[in-house]
Structure formats: structure tokens, C-alpha cells
Amino acid sequence: MHKKNTVFLRTFGCQMNIRDSEVISGLLQKAGYRISATDQDADIIIFNTCSVRKHAEDRVWSLIGSYKGSKVIGLVGCMAQNYKEQAFQRDPHISFVVGPQDIHKLPVIIEKILGDNLFSDKNLLERKIWETAGDLRPEEIYHMDFYQDKNHAHVVISEGCSNFCSYCVVPYVRGALRHRKHKDILIEIREVIARGVTKVTLLGQNVNAYQDSQVNFTKLLEQVNALSGLKEFDFFTSHPKDAGVDFFKAIRDLEKLVKRLHLPLQSGSDKILKLMNRGYQAKDYLSLIDSYRKIVKSGRLTTDIIVGFPTETDAEFNQTYALVKKARFNAAYIFKYSSRPGTEAAKIIDPLKQAELEQRHRKILNLQRSISQELRSSQVDAKK
Ligand code: 5AD
Ligand code: SF4
């Protein structure tokens, strides 16, 4: 057995990836590796990556290139699944490629890659391994003794997504929706509470679709709320087509649940929503948030918007603009559409001019900034 090496993990993307990196750190520490906070003293660099937009991928390719083969490089997460063996052609300095469903195999894979003597092995680059598309991740990975924040733990309740929004790469790279057993989720939360954690965030691509035998998401929220020792919890992220009155009542009634909802809208145009395969119309979204606000008085509301989806006309963009103006979100993440190979939307060839995309992005960003500002100052006034 060789002397164990030092690993630096760089994480990109969503909270699910941040949690996956904690799991990877825990697994590698258990296998005897040292986790470093910088790349300088590390001999292995693991990139835990995101493929949701091209920009995020470009940054990773350029960072990997900057090491020029001076370290052992691993590509992990969504980009690994997206590129598979092509990643080795794209950058020959990559030594291993491991998709999100296979992160539990990392200690074994790295062991094989390193052999007995790191860097003296001339065949290192010939012995690349990529493993992808395992089904369920083993339950043990969620009970690793590694949580970055001593007070706040992120707990995965479901993996993958089966919604196939036409622009989104997630169902392809993270696979179909799978639910963890509610009993296992509660065991993990009890474990973190026993370690001193007081705040928990439940994670899934669409938490509202959670279902494990008789336990749906609202039931799960009730069970988590009942755990003694837990002070506060929230969840991320919701889908309008699966959200409803019972769920809003749970947000209102469960005293430990943070009064906040992130409900991605994506577009205010019915034509674009249909092309996006979102499963609701603008009027449905408006009545949903109306009901949320009536039930959860002064609850926060945030959203995601994509501008410049293929074929989006000025008039359709203006419908999104008008809806954002009407909805008065506390905050919104506004994204420029990014074409993702393999998705349905990528087949629609109608690129918007870059200048126009930037303009729509800026316009809606400015609108949301002023709304957020107004809401913040009215809250401050209310507290005075
Ligand atoms: N282009 C731009 N934004 C996207 N999102 C998902 N896929 C894309 C894409 N191809 C955004 C959506 C989603 C958020 C996490 O990322 O708004 O809600
Ligand atoms: Fe992507 Fe839609 Fe699933 Fe969210 S719900 S992860 S946008 S496919």
C-alpha cells in the first residue's frame, strides 16, 4: 500500500454538488487521504462539476488546462457523465472520469489509478478509468462522517429528475428520479442532530415529487419538523406542477420550517413554457403564488428565469417581463439560455443574437433588482 496522497476538491454548481463533495471528502478521508484546502500541497485535484450551462463547463476545461499535467486530475460529477470517455480526448491530462451516480467508487478508482507509486508510474495516463450510470447510490454514502458546516447539514431526499424540461441536461447526467427511503432520511437527520447540527436543508431537483410508500413531501416535512433537537429546516428546489395548497399549509404550520419558497418560473409566455415542457401556464403560476401568499403570510418567494429560449420573440420576452413585474419576487436568478447538446431544446435551431440575449438579460435583471430593493426597504420600514 502506498503512502496516501493529498486531495484538493473544487466544486461547481448547485447545492447537490456541494453535498456530493462533502460525501467524496468523507469517503476519501475514511480511505486515508488528506483533504487540502488549497491546490498547492495537493497531488490529486478533483473537479466536481456542473453541466447546466456551457459557461460553467468552459471554466472547468480552462482550469484543468492550467495544470498542464502537473497534478493527477479527476473529472467528477455532471460533466463526467456528459462527456464520458470523450473527456480524455478533450484533455489528455485527465486521469479519471466518474459520474455522479458512481462517486462512492472513487476511493477504489483512485487507488487503481495511483498504483503503488504516484508519478513514478509511466503508464499512469494509460490506465484511465471511467465509470458511469450506476443506478442507486448506496445508502452508506449519506452517513459519512463529513459535514462542512458544524451547525447546518444538507440532506439529500431524492436523486435525479424525470421532468425532462426541454432545455435541461440534469435528467441525462443525473438519471431518473429516485427517492431515498423516508426512514433513512430521518436516520441521517437524527445522526447530524446528535453531532450538534441544528439546521437542515432537504435537497432534491424537485422535492415536491418526493414519494416513499405512503410518505409524500408534505408528510416528510411533518416528520422532520417533529425531530427533537432540530431548530430550523428548509428545502430546495420546488416545481410549480407539483406544488399545491397542502404543501403551502405545511410551510405555514410547521414551526421549524423557514417561511420561504423557491419556485422556478422560467418563462411568462405560454408558448415558451410549452416548448420548455414545464407542465403549467403563466396563469397557473400566478394563481399558485397568489395562494402561497394568502396562506404563508409574508413568506419569501424567489424564482429562476431563463431568457432567450429558442424562438422567444420580443413579445414573449415581454410577457416574462410583465409577469416578473407582477409577481414581485424577493429575488430571482436570471439565466441566459445555454444550448445543451442532447436536450430537446438544442434541436430547435433559432439562435438569438448575442447582443439581444444580453439586452433581455440586463433588462429583466434591472427590473428584479429594483423590486428586490423596494421589498427590502419596505421590510426595513415595517421593522422601524
Ligand atoms: N440554460 C440556461 N439556464 C438553465 N437552467 C437549467 N438549464 C439551463 C439552460 N440550458 C436554469 C433553470 C433552472 C436553474 C437551476 O438553471 O432556470 O431552474
Ligand atoms: Fe432540470 Fe426541469 Fe428537472 Fe429542474 S425540473 S432539474 S429544470 S429537468
Side-chain angles (χ1 to χ4, degrees), residues 243-347:
V245 169
D246 284 352
F247 164 59
F248 298 153
K249 285 185 177 158
I251 303 180
R252 178 192 65 194
D253 296 339
L254 300 174
E255 73 281 4
K256 297 177 187 171
L257 191 51
V258 179
K259 311 302 170 210
R260 177 170 62 214
L261 178 64
H262 182 71
L263 198 65
L265 163 67
Q266 314 299 5
S267 170
S269 146
D270 288 342
K271 185 203 95 182
I272 298 293
L273 284 170
K274 190 154 198 269
L275 283 175
M276 286 177 162
N277 191 30
R278 289 292 290 175
Y280 55 86
Q281 295 193 335
K283 64 171 174 11
D284 305 326
Y285 186 91
L286 280 170
S287 69
L288 204 56
I289 62 171
D290 190 41
S291 133
Y292 168 71
R293 284 188 166 131
K294 281 195 178 119
I295 295 171
V296 189
K297 300 249 162 35
S298 70
R300 270 176 68 83
L301 182 67
T302 57
T303 200
D304 291 342
I305 307 275
I306 299 177
V307 298
F309 185 88
T311 78
E312 184 189 75
T313 61
D314 267 336
E316 286 150 7
F317 166 75
N318 286 335
Q319 289 177 327
T320 304
Y321 187 90
L323 205 156
V324 168
K325 203 167 179 179
K326 192 162 184 194
R328 294 183 69 74
F329 299 107
N330 294 92
Y333 298 92
I334 324 275
F335 302 107
K336 295 175 216 161
Y337 171 73
S338 169
S339 177
R340 304 288 55 220
T343 60
E344 281 301 307
K347 295 179 190 159

Side-chain angles (χ1 to χ4, degrees), residues 155-321:
V155 173
V156 173
I157 66 164
S158 57
E159 299 171 4
C161 183
S162 298
N163 285 333
F164 287 95
C165 299
S166 66
Y167 50 82
C168 185
V169 78
V170 168
Y172 304 94
V173 291
R174 291 222 168 230
L177 178 66
R178 287 100 57 205
H179 310 282
R180 272 179 82 195
K181 298 224 171 324
H182 73 280
K183 290 209 167 97
D184 290 333
I185 296 168
L186 296 173
I187 290 172
E188 182 182 352
I189 301 177
R190 281 196 203 95
E191 280 171 6
V192 295
I193 293 171
R195 270 194 218 126
V197 161
T198 55
K199 183 175 175 189
V200 159
T201 298
L202 307 175
L203 289 183
Q205 305 295 344
N206 173 7
V207 288
N208 299 87
Y210 180 80
Q211 191 76 49
D212 171 40
S213 56
Q214 300 307 311
V215 179
N216 63 12
F217 186 55
T218 307
K219 283 241 164 60
L220 182 70
L221 291 176
E222 287 165 8
Q223 294 180 348
V224 173
N225 190 69
L227 293 173
S228 65
L230 185 70
K231 292 215 170 92
E232 189 180 83
F233 72 115
D234 59 4
F235 53 81
F236 200 80
T237 194
S238 291
H239 193 304
K241 75 176 172 55
D242 298 312
V245 169
D246 284 352
F247 164 59
F248 298 153
K249 285 185 177 158
I251 303 180
R252 178 192 65 194
D253 296 339
L254 300 174
E255 73 281 4
K256 297 177 187 171
L257 191 51
V258 179
K259 311 302 170 210
R260 177 170 62 214
L261 178 64
H262 182 71
L263 198 65
L265 163 67
Q266 314 299 5
S267 170
S269 146
D270 288 342
K271 185 203 95 182
I272 298 293
L273 284 170
K274 190 154 198 269
L275 283 175
M276 286 177 162
N277 191 30
R278 289 292 290 175
Y280 55 86
Q281 295 193 335
K283 64 171 174 11
D284 305 326
Y285 186 91
L286 280 170
S287 69
L288 204 56
I289 62 171
D290 190 41
S291 133
Y292 168 71
R293 284 188 166 131
K294 281 195 178 119
I295 295 171
V296 189
K297 300 249 162 35
S298 70
R300 270 176 68 83
L301 182 67
T302 57
T303 200
D304 291 342
I305 307 275
I306 299 177
V307 298
F309 185 88
T311 78
E312 184 189 75
T313 61
D314 267 336
E316 286 150 7
F317 166 75
N318 286 335
Q319 289 177 327
T320 304
Y321 187 90

